[in-house]
C-alpha cells in the first residue's frame, strides 16, 4: 500500500490527471505584476520619464515641500539614490529644490508647472494601465480583485502608496 502517487502516474507528473496540483497564485501574480510594470513603463516613456521618476513626482505632488530626507525615508531608499532622481527631475524642469527657511540644511521639493502637468498625465496613465489590467472582468469582479489584493497587501504590511521597488537591497 502506497502513501502517495506512484512514479510515472498522472498524479505525480503534473499532467492533466493531477487533481491535487496547488494553485499557482504567486506565479500568476508575478506574471501580472510584470505585465502591469510593462504597461506603466510604456505610459511613462511617452511622458519622457521613468516609472521611478513617476513615483517621486506623485509623492512630491501629494506632499509639496517634502524634504529630500523625508522622501528617501518614504521610499525606503538611501538619500544618494533620491538625490540622483531629484537631479534628473530638476534638470528636466519638473521639480524645484529650495532651502528651507526653518533649517538651511534641508532641501524642500516642489513640482514646477511642468511637473504638475506631468502629474495630471500620470493619473491618466495609471487609469489606462488599470483599465488594461482588468479588461475582460466585470466591474464586480474588478472590485473583488481589488479588495482581495488590498487585504493581502495590508496583511503583509505593504504600503499601498509606495512601490517596494524603491527599497534598497539589504546589505
Amino acid at each position: 500500500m502506497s502513501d502517495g502517487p506512484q512514479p510515472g502516474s498522472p498524479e505525480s507528473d503534473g499532467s492533466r490527471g493531477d487533481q491535487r496540483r496547488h494553485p499557482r497564485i504567486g506565479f500568476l501574480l508575478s506574471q501580472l505584476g510584470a505585465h502591469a510594470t510593462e504597461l506603466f513603463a510604456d505610459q511613462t516613456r511617452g511622458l519622457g520619464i521613468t516609472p521611478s521618476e513617476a513615483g517621486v513626482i506623485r509623492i512630491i505632488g501629494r506632499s509639496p515641500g517634502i524634504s529630500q530626507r523625508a522622501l528617501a525615508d518614504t521610499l525606503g531608499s538611501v538619500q544618494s539614490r533620491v538625490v540622483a532622481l531629484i537631479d534628473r527631475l530638476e534638470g528636466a524642469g519638473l521639480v524645484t529644490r529650495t532651502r528651507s527657511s526653518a533649517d538651511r540644511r534641508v532641501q524642500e521639493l516642489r513640482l514646477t508647472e511642468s511637473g504638475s502637468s506631468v502629474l495630471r498625465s500620470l493619473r491618466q496613465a495609471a487609469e489606462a494601465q488599470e483599465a488594461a489590467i482588468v479588461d475582460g472582468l466585470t466591474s464586480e469582479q474588478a472590485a473583488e480583485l481589488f479588495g482581495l489584493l488590498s487585504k493581502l497587501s495590508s496583511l503583509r504590511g505593504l504600503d499601498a502608496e509606495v512601490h517596494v521597488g524603491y527599497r534598497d537591497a539589504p546589505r
Side-chain angles (χ1 to χ4, degrees), residues 96-144:
T96 62
R97 246 189 293 227
T98 56
R99 294 241 178 251
S100 167
S101 58
D103 184 346
R104 304 253 325 130
R105 296 169 296 175
V106 174
Q107 296 279 339
E108 295 178 340
L109 306 171
R110 288 184 175 73
L111 297 180
T112 63
E113 263 187 58
S114 294
S116 294
S117 176
V118 168
L119 179 59
R120 286 188 296 276
S121 296
L122 283 171
R123 288 185 184 123
Q124 294 168 342
E127 289 170 7
Q129 176 206 33
E130 187 159 320
I133 291 169
V134 299
D135 185 38
L137 298 180
T138 65
S139 58
E140 293 81 15
Q141 290 170 326
E144 181 179 10

Side-chain angles (χ1 to χ4, degrees), residues 25 27 29 33 37 44 53 66 75 77-78 98 105 112 114 129 133 151-152 154 169:
I25 294 170
F27 176 75
L29 283 173
T37 298
T44 60
E53 292 165 343
I66 189 171
L75 296 173
S77 185
V78 294
T98 56
R105 296 169 296 175
T112 63
S114 294
Q129 176 206 33
I133 291 169
K151 181 171 182 156
L152 287 172
S154 176

